[in-house]
Amino acid sequence: MAPILAYWDVRGIVTPIRLLLAYADVRYEYKEYEFQGNRAEWFEVDKIELGETLDFPNLPYYIDGRVQLTQSKTILAYLGRKHNLNAANEAEELRISLIIEQVSDLRLFISRVANPPVSATNRQEIHEKLRKEYLDSIPSRLGLIAKFLGSHNWMAGDHLTYADFLVYDVLDFHRLLFNPKHFNGFPTLVAYMERIEGLKGVNKFLDTMDKMPTHGPGVAFFGNSKDFKPKED
Amino acid sequence: MKPLLVYWDVRGRATYLRMILHYAGVDFEDKRYKFEVTESQKAYSDYKKWFQEDKIKLQGILDFPNLPYYMDDTVRMTQSRAILEHLGRKHHLDGRNEQELFRIDMIYDVLADIGFILGEIAYPPPVENRQEIHDKTRKAYAETLPAQLASISKFLGSNDWMAGNHLTYVDFYAYDILDDNRKLFDPKHINQFPNLVAYLRRIEELKGVKEFLASPAFQPMLIMGPLALFGGSETRVPTE
């Protein structure tokens, strides 16, 4: 039986896993839960039914026989080990763990910009303040990532690892939600993104992946439609 | 060189790093940037020294200058999780098989989600009504706490440690996040789960850790910085 990967019908945090599976040419079932509406299929049915299978029922989940995982970083690292896309030595372990945490911080910042507290009455004001803080930080953040990559082809060094799929996705979120011009000063990052997009399996997946909102419609304040158009700044 | 760990003078993201180093018996320098809150309630002193001087001097030495940072003869690292994972590998406190590796990752991710939310509650966005936002998000989180603790308790089960039958680096992180919750919220929530209470006590009894937790260096109540809307002062009575 093929493994199952499940998530909402948004980009969210699942794409790095799908990129890795596409590259590794793994046949799997992709189950999508509809985010718009009351999300009953997940919250009222499957989350409860999977309560004995999954330790922490959540989306994404990955089930392959007796391997039953949630948490996107856990799933990605597991598949990285399984498909020989992980660290080959201690130096690579250090690089992988450092860049994963660094881009995870960036993803969390984007998430804070996209999801001002639901209970606040001034979500627009909060969103704009955080958006400005985020954009002010971007040149230095991208600069440090570019410097870390240096003249390597991949984040770990000489070979592709699972970390590259996560870095790609976070940087791609920035391009989708903000202005790709921010990458103009960093040709090595642009080349890095193209290198990943050119990988066999990945290129075909990206060509056929449906256009989706990055964040959940009806809940997120920003990035919540597949036709979202970033501003110029 | 003597290994060096540097952070603010609070628990924050350093406690679990201090704990693992004490457990491993490492003679390290536990350097801290101090906060000092003035009459006008602005925390500065070492704050400026870090952001305007030292962080800049560390460019070229650290790939992503930040606190905490850790240096020894072979590594120069930031990001608390990356440091903790490195120390776990170095001091034989890592998973030993595939099942342990993904158990460690999964519980780490679950706890990190909690840690992120606690930070968001403590430091709401920079708007005038941030106290109101804090009160609402704190209450909303407290309502989810029993169910979250229940799933963590079930995950631990009858194991002594999160990975299974031996101590690993994630146990120090789990201690810190679970202890944060019983300091920031009513300890009655965690007391519903005897295996979690016993687990925390088991960690508190570890040689090296016991001495650290009893020392002035631990500062049990100073979880966040002094400008946080909770967790930043010695006296805090949880309301939920």
Side-chain angles (χ1 to χ4, degrees), chain B residues 145-169:
Chain B
L145 190 50
Q148 297 212 66
L149 292 173
S151 56
I152 295 170
S153 170
K154 195 172 166 206
F155 178 80
L156 178 65
S158 56
N159 294 314
D160 274 0
W161 312 106
M162 286 295 176
N165 57 18
H166 72 103
L167 179 72
T168 66
Y169 67 83

mmCIF file of all heavy atoms in Angstrom, chain B residues 145-169:
data_model
loop_
_atom_site.group_PDB
_atom_site.id
_atom_site.type_symbol
_atom_site.label_atom_id
_atom_site.label_comp_id
_atom_site.label_asym_id
_atom_site.label_seq_id
_atom_site.Cartn_x
_atom_site.Cartn_y
_atom_site.Cartn_z
ATOM 1 N N LEU B 145 -4.702 24.057 27.052
ATOM 2 C CA LEU B 145 -3.593 23.430 27.772
ATOM 3 C C LEU B 145 -3.894 22.012 28.252
ATOM 4 O O LEU B 145 -3.075 21.109 28.046
ATOM 5 C CB LEU B 145 -3.144 24.341 28.923
ATOM 6 C CG LEU B 145 -1.850 23.974 29.641
ATOM 7 C CD1 LEU B 145 -0.698 23.718 28.687
ATOM 8 C CD2 LEU B 145 -1.474 25.073 30.628
ATOM 9 N N PRO B 146 -5.070 21.763 28.877
ATOM 10 C CA PRO B 146 -5.331 20.391 29.330
ATOM 11 C C PRO B 146 -5.225 19.353 28.204
ATOM 12 O O PRO B 146 -4.600 18.307 28.396
ATOM 13 C CB PRO B 146 -6.758 20.477 29.884
ATOM 14 C CG PRO B 146 -6.896 21.898 30.321
ATOM 15 C CD PRO B 146 -6.127 22.701 29.318
ATOM 16 N N ALA B 147 -5.788 19.651 27.035
ATOM 17 C CA ALA B 147 -5.744 18.677 25.931
ATOM 18 C C ALA B 147 -4.314 18.488 25.426
ATOM 19 O O ALA B 147 -3.902 17.371 25.079
ATOM 20 C CB ALA B 147 -6.650 19.130 24.795
ATOM 21 N N GLN B 148 -3.534 19.550 25.378
ATOM 22 C CA GLN B 148 -2.140 19.447 24.919
ATOM 23 C C GLN B 148 -1.336 18.595 25.888
ATOM 24 O O GLN B 148 -0.546 17.729 25.463
ATOM 25 C CB GLN B 148 -1.513 20.839 24.802
ATOM 26 C CG GLN B 148 -2.207 21.702 23.767
ATOM 27 C CD GLN B 148 -1.261 22.660 23.099
ATOM 28 O OE1 GLN B 148 -0.352 22.261 22.393
ATOM 29 N NE2 GLN B 148 -1.459 23.941 23.341
ATOM 30 N N LEU B 149 -1.520 18.852 27.179
ATOM 31 C CA LEU B 149 -0.789 18.075 28.174
ATOM 32 C C LEU B 149 -1.219 16.613 28.127
ATOM 33 O O LEU B 149 -0.396 15.709 28.302
ATOM 34 C CB LEU B 149 -0.997 18.660 29.575
ATOM 35 C CG LEU B 149 -0.358 20.034 29.812
ATOM 36 C CD1 LEU B 149 -0.776 20.584 31.177
ATOM 37 C CD2 LEU B 149 1.161 19.962 29.723
ATOM 38 N N ALA B 150 -2.500 16.384 27.851
ATOM 39 C CA ALA B 150 -2.998 15.006 27.772
ATOM 40 C C ALA B 150 -2.288 14.243 26.666
ATOM 41 O O ALA B 150 -1.874 13.082 26.843
ATOM 42 C CB ALA B 150 -4.507 14.995 27.536
ATOM 43 N N SER B 151 -2.102 14.870 25.505
ATOM 44 C CA SER B 151 -1.454 14.137 24.410
ATOM 45 C C SER B 151 0.041 13.946 24.682
ATOM 46 O O SER B 151 0.609 12.916 24.300
ATOM 47 C CB SER B 151 -1.725 14.773 23.054
ATOM 48 O OG SER B 151 -1.341 16.107 23.031
ATOM 49 N N ILE B 152 0.664 14.900 25.378
ATOM 50 C CA ILE B 152 2.076 14.726 25.733
ATOM 51 C C ILE B 152 2.220 13.606 26.760
ATOM 52 O O ILE B 152 3.120 12.759 26.672
ATOM 53 C CB ILE B 152 2.691 16.051 26.240
ATOM 54 C CG1 ILE B 152 2.709 17.082 25.111
ATOM 55 C CG2 ILE B 152 4.099 15.840 26.795
ATOM 56 C CD1 ILE B 152 3.075 18.499 25.544
ATOM 57 N N SER B 153 1.299 13.586 27.719
ATOM 58 C CA SER B 153 1.316 12.538 28.735
ATOM 59 C C SER B 153 1.132 11.161 28.095
ATOM 60 O O SER B 153 1.824 10.191 28.443
ATOM 61 C CB SER B 153 0.190 12.809 29.743
ATOM 62 O OG SER B 153 0.028 11.718 30.609
ATOM 63 N N LYS B 154 0.234 11.073 27.124
ATOM 64 C CA LYS B 154 -0.020 9.796 26.438
ATOM 65 C C LYS B 154 1.198 9.371 25.627
ATOM 66 O O LYS B 154 1.550 8.194 25.572
ATOM 67 C CB LYS B 154 -1.238 9.956 25.538
ATOM 68 C CG LYS B 154 -1.821 8.657 25.065
ATOM 69 C CD LYS B 154 -3.152 8.886 24.336
ATOM 70 C CE LYS B 154 -3.548 7.616 23.580
ATOM 71 N NZ LYS B 154 -4.394 7.876 22.425
ATOM 72 N N PHE B 155 1.863 10.346 25.018
ATOM 73 C CA PHE B 155 3.051 10.066 24.220
ATOM 74 C C PHE B 155 4.174 9.499 25.100
ATOM 75 O O PHE B 155 4.855 8.546 24.749
ATOM 76 C CB PHE B 155 3.521 11.351 23.523
ATOM 77 C CG PHE B 155 4.767 11.208 22.703
ATOM 78 C CD1 PHE B 155 4.710 10.676 21.423
ATOM 79 C CD2 PHE B 155 5.993 11.628 23.187
ATOM 80 C CE1 PHE B 155 5.859 10.556 20.645
ATOM 81 C CE2 PHE B 155 7.157 11.511 22.420
ATOM 82 C CZ PHE B 155 7.084 10.971 21.142
ATOM 83 N N LEU B 156 4.353 10.115 26.276
ATOM 84 C CA LEU B 156 5.375 9.632 27.204
ATOM 85 C C LEU B 156 4.997 8.235 27.700
ATOM 86 O O LEU B 156 5.846 7.329 27.765
ATOM 87 C CB LEU B 156 5.531 10.585 28.390
ATOM 88 C CG LEU B 156 6.537 10.159 29.465
ATOM 89 C CD1 LEU B 156 7.960 10.145 28.908
ATOM 90 C CD2 LEU B 156 6.465 11.094 30.672
ATOM 91 N N GLY B 157 3.722 8.075 28.015
ATOM 92 C CA GLY B 157 3.217 6.775 28.474
ATOM 93 C C GLY B 157 3.949 6.328 29.722
ATOM 94 O O GLY B 157 4.166 7.114 30.641
ATOM 95 N N SER B 158 4.365 5.065 29.738
ATOM 96 C CA SER B 158 5.072 4.523 30.896
ATOM 97 C C SER B 158 6.590 4.574 30.694
ATOM 98 O O SER B 158 7.344 3.990 31.479
ATOM 99 C CB SER B 158 4.626 3.093 31.145
ATOM 100 O OG SER B 158 4.847 2.351 29.957
ATOM 101 N N ASN B 159 7.040 5.271 29.642
ATOM 102 C CA ASN B 159 8.495 5.431 29.440
ATOM 103 C C ASN B 159 9.064 6.368 30.493
ATOM 104 O O ASN B 159 8.371 7.257 30.986
ATOM 105 C CB ASN B 159 8.773 6.064 28.061
ATOM 106 C CG ASN B 159 8.380 5.164 26.917
ATOM 107 O OD1 ASN B 159 8.681 3.982 26.908
ATOM 108 N ND2 ASN B 159 7.671 5.729 25.958
ATOM 109 N N ASP B 160 10.354 6.179 30.784
ATOM 110 C CA ASP B 160 11.027 7.122 31.666
ATOM 111 C C ASP B 160 11.383 8.407 30.929
ATOM 112 O O ASP B 160 11.463 9.473 31.530
ATOM 113 C CB ASP B 160 12.308 6.503 32.241
ATOM 114 C CG ASP B 160 12.052 5.678 33.495
ATOM 115 O OD1 ASP B 160 10.879 5.593 33.921
ATOM 116 O OD2 ASP B 160 13.014 5.119 34.043
ATOM 117 N N TRP B 161 11.636 8.279 29.617
ATOM 118 C CA TRP B 161 12.152 9.411 28.842
ATOM 119 C C TRP B 161 11.364 9.526 27.548
ATOM 120 O O TRP B 161 10.758 8.561 27.091
ATOM 121 C CB TRP B 161 13.644 9.207 28.546
ATOM 122 C CG TRP B 161 14.433 8.816 29.751
ATOM 123 C CD1 TRP B 161 14.939 7.576 30.047
ATOM 124 C CD2 TRP B 161 14.770 9.648 30.869
ATOM 125 N NE1 TRP B 161 15.568 7.594 31.256
ATOM 126 C CE2 TRP B 161 15.481 8.848 31.787
ATOM 127 C CE3 TRP B 161 14.543 11.004 31.177
ATOM 128 C CZ2 TRP B 161 15.969 9.360 32.994
ATOM 129 C CZ3 TRP B 161 15.020 11.500 32.377
ATOM 130 C CH2 TRP B 161 15.726 10.685 33.272
ATOM 131 N N MET B 162 11.412 10.698 26.919
ATOM 132 C CA MET B 162 10.593 10.939 25.736
ATOM 133 C C MET B 162 10.952 10.014 24.581
ATOM 134 O O MET B 162 10.079 9.562 23.849
ATOM 135 C CB MET B 162 10.692 12.405 25.286
ATOM 136 C CG MET B 162 9.933 13.377 26.165
ATOM 137 S SD MET B 162 8.147 13.085 26.097
ATOM 138 C CE MET B 162 7.581 14.303 27.314
ATOM 139 N N ALA B 163 12.257 9.723 24.384
ATOM 140 C CA ALA B 163 12.639 8.853 23.268
ATOM 141 C C ALA B 163 12.254 7.406 23.538
ATOM 142 O O ALA B 163 12.044 6.631 22.607
ATOM 143 C CB ALA B 163 14.143 8.947 23.006
ATOM 144 N N GLY B 164 12.180 7.058 24.823
ATOM 145 C CA GLY B 164 11.894 5.669 25.198
ATOM 146 C C GLY B 164 12.587 5.344 26.501
ATOM 147 O O GLY B 164 12.270 5.931 27.533
ATOM 148 N N ASN B 165 13.560 4.454 26.447
ATOM 149 C CA ASN B 165 14.152 4.006 27.703
ATOM 150 C C ASN B 165 15.511 4.622 28.029
ATOM 151 O O ASN B 165 16.195 4.145 28.928
ATOM 152 C CB ASN B 165 14.240 2.471 27.745
ATOM 153 C CG ASN B 165 15.029 1.936 26.569
ATOM 154 O OD1 ASN B 165 15.790 2.675 25.918
ATOM 155 N ND2 ASN B 165 14.848 0.668 26.273
ATOM 156 N N HIS B 166 15.922 5.648 27.334
ATOM 157 C CA HIS B 166 17.120 6.359 27.782
ATOM 158 C C HIS B 166 16.985 7.857 27.561
ATOM 159 O O HIS B 166 16.249 8.314 26.677
ATOM 160 C CB HIS B 166 18.387 5.782 27.146
ATOM 161 C CG HIS B 166 18.545 6.087 25.693
ATOM 162 N ND1 HIS B 166 19.412 7.046 25.223
ATOM 163 C CD2 HIS B 166 17.956 5.557 24.604
ATOM 164 C CE1 HIS B 166 19.328 7.094 23.899
ATOM 165 N NE2 HIS B 166 18.455 6.204 23.501
ATOM 166 N N LEU B 167 17.721 8.581 28.414
ATOM 167 C CA LEU B 167 17.732 10.050 28.379
ATOM 168 C C LEU B 167 18.305 10.533 27.055
ATOM 169 O O LEU B 167 19.298 9.978 26.555
ATOM 170 C CB LEU B 167 18.617 10.547 29.534
ATOM 171 C CG LEU B 167 18.820 12.052 29.704
ATOM 172 C CD1 LEU B 167 17.554 12.722 30.216
ATOM 173 C CD2 LEU B 167 19.975 12.316 30.668
ATOM 174 N N THR B 168 17.655 11.539 26.449
ATOM 175 C CA THR B 168 18.237 12.176 25.264
ATOM 176 C C THR B 168 18.091 13.690 25.417
ATOM 177 O O THR B 168 17.419 14.168 26.330
ATOM 178 C CB THR B 168 17.548 11.746 23.953
ATOM 179 O OG1 THR B 168 16.200 12.218 23.959
ATOM 180 C CG2 THR B 168 17.592 10.240 23.753
ATOM 181 N N TYR B 169 18.664 14.418 24.481
ATOM 182 C CA TYR B 169 18.677 15.889 24.575
ATOM 183 C C TYR B 169 17.281 16.484 24.645
ATOM 184 O O TYR B 169 17.076 17.522 25.262
ATOM 185 C CB TYR B 169 19.484 16.504 23.427
ATOM 186 C CG TYR B 169 18.902 16.337 22.035
ATOM 187 C CD1 TYR B 169 17.930 17.205 21.571
ATOM 188 C CD2 TYR B 169 19.347 15.330 21.172
ATOM 189 C CE1 TYR B 169 17.391 17.076 20.291
ATOM 190 C CE2 TYR B 169 18.819 15.196 19.899
ATOM 191 C CZ TYR B 169 17.841 16.067 19.471
ATOM 192 O OH TYR B 169 17.317 15.939 18.204
#
